[in-house]
Amino acid sequence: GAVVSQHPSRVICKSGTSVKIECRSLDFQATTMFWYRQFPKQSLMLMATSNEGSKATYEQGVEKDKFLINHASLTLSTLTVTSAHPEDSSFYICSGWPGRGNEQFFGPGTRLTVL
Amino acid sequence: AQKVTQAQTEISVVEKEDVTLDCVYETRDTTYYLFWYKQPPSGELVFLIRRNSFDEQNEISGRYSWNFQKSTSSFNFTITASQVVDSAVYFCALSEANTGNQFYFGTGTSLTVIP
């Protein structure tokens, strides 16, 4: 299957700082990329959907000014958590959709801890 | 309304026992796709299977088997002769043709295989 990478895999930051997470599709062009958040012992919750070159579409309850998403190319999307707080600590997973079929390809996730 | 229901939150079995993880879905689309993913403690989602709505054949892959029944809107997953390495959280997911590539995840079932 297609491969998606995320960087970093783990990040610890101080409250109030901003953190950028990269999501790359390594062997396919991702027309659409998705960002999910997963709290401990919970399911994946979709945060936003981004199409290359367009503004991201955020799910209800997700603050677009806090979670900045950039999808500048068909192989790269970034999620920036601005002014992070301890409640933003979570596991963030991205996925890419190649523009055909109904399968998403998931990255390995980024574990964010805000102190 | 929850589109994908995994009623079993946690299951524990003794090694070598068989175990079935239940998944019930809800959709009005005639064309849809069902998925199972494994999420080990590392967090990375491991793709297990994709099944489209027109293919009700059961599938077997090694110790894994899947029972898709449209009449009951279920897509159950059975692990035969479970092993400790099967311990993980398992997610069932639905993708509908009419909503494009959006995934709906179940709440997951945490499986613990006791040696």
Side-chain angles (χ1 to χ4, degrees):
Chain A
V3 180
V4 173
S5 70
Q6 279 184 244
H7 178 80
S9 57
R10 288 179 178 271
V11 57
I12 300 173
C13 69
K14 292 183 178 179
S15 186
T17 60
S18 294
V19 174
K20 180 186 283 189
I21 302 170
E22 290 187 351
C23 176
R24 292 181 185 273
S25 56
L26 299 185
D27 51 4
F28 70 100
Q29 294 188 321
T31 303
T32 304
M33 284 188 167
F34 301 86
W35 286 95
Y36 296 85
R37 179 168 52 183
Q38 185 182 29
F39 292 110
K41 296 188 183 296
Q42 293 188 23
S43 187
L44 284 74
M45 298 303 297
L46 180 65
M47 297 175 67
T49 303
S50 75
N51 294 302
E52 184 259 341
S54 304
K55 286 186 178 179
T57 302
Y58 291 81
E59 295 299 302
Q60 196 172 9
V62 178
E63 300 173 56
K64 63 180 181 182
D65 295 330
K66 181 170 185 61
F67 298 99
L68 301 178
I69 292 172
N70 184 286
H71 191 166
S73 78
L74 285 171
T75 58
L76 173 65
S77 177
T78 60
L79 167 67
T80 301
V81 183
T82 61
S83 186
H85 290 283
E87 57 266 29
D88 299 323
S89 298
S90 187
F91 192 56
Y92 292 87
I93 303 174
C94 73
S95 70
W97 179 64
R100 61 187 183 284
N102 276 68
E103 187 169 352
Q104 295 179 22
F105 300 97
F106 290 87
T110 296
R111 196 165 301 280
L112 170 65
T113 303
V114 185
L115 302 176
Chain B
Q2 189 74 17
K3 282 186 174 285
V4 178
T5 302
Q6 294 180 254
Q8 305 147 310
T9 306
E10 296 182 356
I11 300 177
S12 291
V13 297
V14 176
E15 201 170 21
K16 297 184 183 175
E17 285 184 347
D18 299 347
V19 59
T20 295
L21 309 183
D22 297 334
C23 174
V24 174
Y25 62 92
E26 181 183 329
T27 180
R28 293 182 179 177
D29 279 17
T30 55
T31 303
Y32 53 90
Y33 299 82
L34 296 163
F35 301 80
W36 274 97
Y37 290 88
K38 174 183 180 180
Q39 188 178 43
S42 64
E44 183 166 2
L45 286 176
V46 177
F47 168 81
L48 296 178
I49 190 171
R50 180 181 73 169
R51 173 65 81 223
N52 73 57
S53 53
F54 299 108
D55 183 2
E56 277 193 83
Q57 269 195 325
N58 291 333
E59 178 147 344
I60 298 175
S61 176
R63 296 184 297 108
Y64 295 169
S65 62
W66 290 268
N67 184 335
F68 177 26
Q69 293 204 349
K70 290 176 75 170
S71 61
T72 55
S73 297
S74 64
F75 187 43
N76 297 339
F77 172 33
T78 298
I79 301 175
T80 304
S82 60
Q83 300 176 0
V84 173
V85 292
D86 296 328
S87 297
V89 179
Y90 291 85
F91 289 99
C92 180
L94 165 73
S95 176
E96 299 167 316
N98 281 349
T99 52
N101 41 43
Q102 185 167 356
F103 265 41
Y104 302 95
F105 281 92
T107 49
T109 297
S110 177
L111 173 66
T112 301
V113 180
I114 304 165

